[in-house]
Amino acid sequence: MSPKHGKVVRPRGGVRAGTRSLRGWKWNGRGKLITEPVRCRRDDWYLARARLANGAPVDRATLLLVFLRGDEVLTQRCLRLHAPAGNRAADELLGWIKTPEEATHFQLRVPDRAMVSHLEEILFQDVSERDPKCHPLANLPRWSVYRPPFPIRRVVLPASLYQLTDLLDWCEFELLESPASLRKLSKRVRGAACVLDPQWATTLQLTLPDLEHLAEASWLIVDLDTIARLLKEAGAAGTEVLTHSSADGIMSARVEYADVPTRGLALQDVVPYTTTDAQGGFSIRVLRANRSWRRYADEVGFATLLASETPWEQHHGDVLSAARPARGGELIATDLPWLVAGRYGPPLAPRIATHLLRMHLGAPLKDHVQYWNRWDDGNVVVRDISDLARRYAPLQAVRWASPDARRAHLGI
């Protein structure tokens, strides 16, 4: 309650479609924390941003959406909002929701009255389809089938990435300041995984053959800028690193190749792979998969592990991570170590980025682990549960009794 006016202060905001003007909230005047119906697009995705009051001690909130077709109520859905990267210091909460196919309007309700004082603004922006998805029924091999060319029991990191040492709980690690020569660097990384500092490549004047030589006896990770520069200097491929940015559309990574660095994920799984900026926008760094890169990659066996997904169809399929064998070792091109360390801004999904980095460094993984992304389409969830009984005879799809007649409890 507002002590000055003796009434609830309702959040401002509304619904924005593209760059068109805002359709603002008109809160019900009868004391309920629900808006009058607002027009929405059918079967479309919306990004919800809840801007917090200064110092609001919350990192999540739940809203209720009532979808209508004209005056007829179709369905209700909960929308869960979370702080980006689970950051309690964030000044906004984010969430995504898809409107039903027949919905023409919706009403917004804040079920927790105590939460209202923490919300200054709630804005819904229409966005392109949210890409992250999983394939829970994929027939996956045991992750122990995928092994690096040698057991990775030691990781060499540049001192500038010291914060990543907390992730190395399965092996020894070494922080390296600045190697004096290529020979000394080669000696330090032999038989280990190594993240190559871009500054080392510049100071030591490394060439593409130098990288290949280092990778022959190590598990070598190189950033995208360095690999693009050395490929161009060697005349092997003419590609470049680009940054795609969007105010409201998140960026993702699609799994294109099954190997050690992508364990835990099925082929064609799509995971959030984006950083955020101070204005709340999203961005992704990619290596352009142009004709020159594809020709070179085919010649030497440089397989794309993770490919980009962006809000724009013409900017899909660029390289986020790629790997090629090098005799007894491996050469991997990716920005993951620097992404996890926050060099390009806070990751939107730090747990997923951290998992990917651990896999890129050869960390062990239990055979049963599999990525799962919450489905927003209830029909898909029910279909998948039903399919399990058909695909795997010992399992049975069941429905449990619920104290709430409006809620079904399904499982296997």
Side-chain angles (χ1 to χ4, degrees):
M1 301 289 288
S2 167
K4 182 176 180 180
H5 301 290
K7 61 180 182 180
V8 175
V9 179
R10 293 168 172 80
R12 61 180 185 272
V15 179
R16 190 186 302 278
T19 58
R20 291 184 297 176
S21 60
L22 183 74
R23 296 192 290 272
W25 306 124
K26 294 181 180 179
W27 293 91
N28 189 296
R30 296 189 294 272
K32 297 180 180 179
L33 297 177
I34 189 170
T35 67
E36 297 295 335
V38 178
R39 180 172 293 277
C40 66
R41 293 183 173 181
R42 303 168 186 256
D43 194 28
D44 207 358
W45 282 92
Y46 282 85
L47 165 64
R49 293 182 181 273
R51 191 164 300 280
L52 299 174
N54 290 336
V58 295
D59 62 356
R60 64 193 63 193
T62 299
L63 305 177
L64 181 66
L65 301 183
V66 181
F67 290 100
L68 305 99
R69 178 177 55 197
D71 295 330
E72 175 191 359
V73 175
L74 293 175
T75 186
Q76 299 184 47
R77 293 183 184 174
C78 284
L79 172 60
R80 295 177 176 85
L81 307 178
H82 298 270
N87 181 4
R88 283 187 171 272
D91 62 358
E92 71 173 1
L93 308 179
L94 302 178
W96 283 262
I97 195 163
K98 187 179 183 181
T99 60
E101 292 183 2
E102 298 181 350
T104 61
H105 298 74
F106 74 84
Q107 293 176 277
L108 171 65
R109 180 183 173 192
V110 183
D112 183 0
R113 298 182 68 89
M115 180 62 64
V116 176
S117 62
H118 299 313
L119 303 176
E120 286 189 354
E121 179 183 59
I122 304 174
L123 179 64
F124 281 69
Q125 172 72 50
D126 77 311
V127 293
S128 59
E129 179 180 357
R130 196 184 67 171
D131 290 318
K133 57 179 64 70
C134 64
H135 299 82
L137 298 185
N139 188 13
L140 298 170
R142 293 179 177 271
W143 301 127
S144 52
V145 170
Y146 298 114
R147 297 179 182 274
F150 55 86
I152 296 177
R153 299 190 177 94
R154 184 169 61 92
V155 174
V156 178
L157 291 176
S160 59
L161 294 178
Y162 68 91
Q163 60 267 63
L164 298 183
T165 57
D166 291 341
L167 311 180
L168 308 178
D169 54 5
W170 80 94
C171 64
E172 298 178 354
F173 64 85
E174 179 181 358
L175 290 176
L176 190 57
E177 286 287 351
S178 182
S181 66
L182 174 59
R183 183 180 61 82
K184 291 186 177 181
L185 175 61
S186 180
K187 184 177 179 180
R188 300 288 282 275
V189 305
R190 182 176 296 276
C194 172
V195 177
L196 186 79
D197 194 313
Q199 190 60 45
W200 299 349
T202 302
T203 302
L204 299 177
Q205 299 182 337
L206 299 183
T207 64
L208 183 60
D210 291 334
L211 286 190
E212 294 169 341
H213 172 70
L214 288 171
E216 288 176 355
S218 69
W219 181 268
L220 187 67
I221 294 180
V222 183
D223 68 289
L224 298 180
D225 277 322
T226 296
I227 198 70
R229 176 175 63 83
L230 296 185
L231 286 172
K232 188 174 296 185
E233 290 176 358
T239 183
E240 60 184 332
V241 177
L242 302 175
T243 298
H244 298 303
S245 299
S246 172
D248 302 296
I250 68 170
M251 319 288 176
S252 304
R254 180 181 294 276
V255 179
E256 298 284 0
Y257 195 91
D259 207 339
V260 173
T262 57
R263 286 170 300 151
L265 304 171
L267 284 175
Q268 302 305 309
D269 275 356
V270 181
V271 298
Y273 194 102
T274 187
T275 55
T276 59
D277 58 30
Q279 290 72 44
F282 309 103
S283 63
I284 192 171
R285 282 167 50 88
V286 303
L287 182 74
R288 280 190 63 211
N290 57 15
R291 183 178 302 175
S292 179
W293 162 264
R294 293 196 299 269
R295 175 187 53 78
Y296 165 75
D298 288 344
E299 289 176 355
V300 302
F302 223 135
T304 297
L305 304 171
L306 300 173
S308 64
E309 297 277 333
T310 74
W312 311 281
E313 187 174 352
Q314 67 272 27
H315 294 308
H316 286 358
D318 287 315
V319 177
L320 301 174
S321 176
R324 58 164 292 192
R327 290 192 182 178
E330 193 94 1
L331 176 60
I332 302 176
T334 184
D335 279 341
L336 264 171
W338 298 271
L339 176 74
V340 173
R343 294 294 186 270
Y344 311 119
L348 179 66
R351 288 180 59 193
I352 294 173
T354 297
H355 168 79
L356 284 169
L357 177 57
R358 285 172 59 89
M359 297 304 97
H360 275 64
L361 291 172
L365 184 68
K366 294 180 180 179
D367 279 333
H368 68 273
V369 173
Q370 186 177 350
Y371 168 69
W372 182 81
N373 183 64
R374 181 175 60 85
W375 290 95
D376 290 274
D377 190 337
N379 292 331
V380 173
V381 176
V382 174
R383 182 202 67 193
D384 285 350
I385 292 175
S386 300
D387 279 353
L388 280 171
R390 179 174 59 84
R391 292 168 181 260
Y392 305 101
L395 300 179
Q396 291 183 331
V398 297
R399 173 175 176 172
W400 285 279
S402 170
D404 185 346
R406 300 168 298 177
R407 180 175 301 171
H409 289 180
L410 302 176
I412 55 171

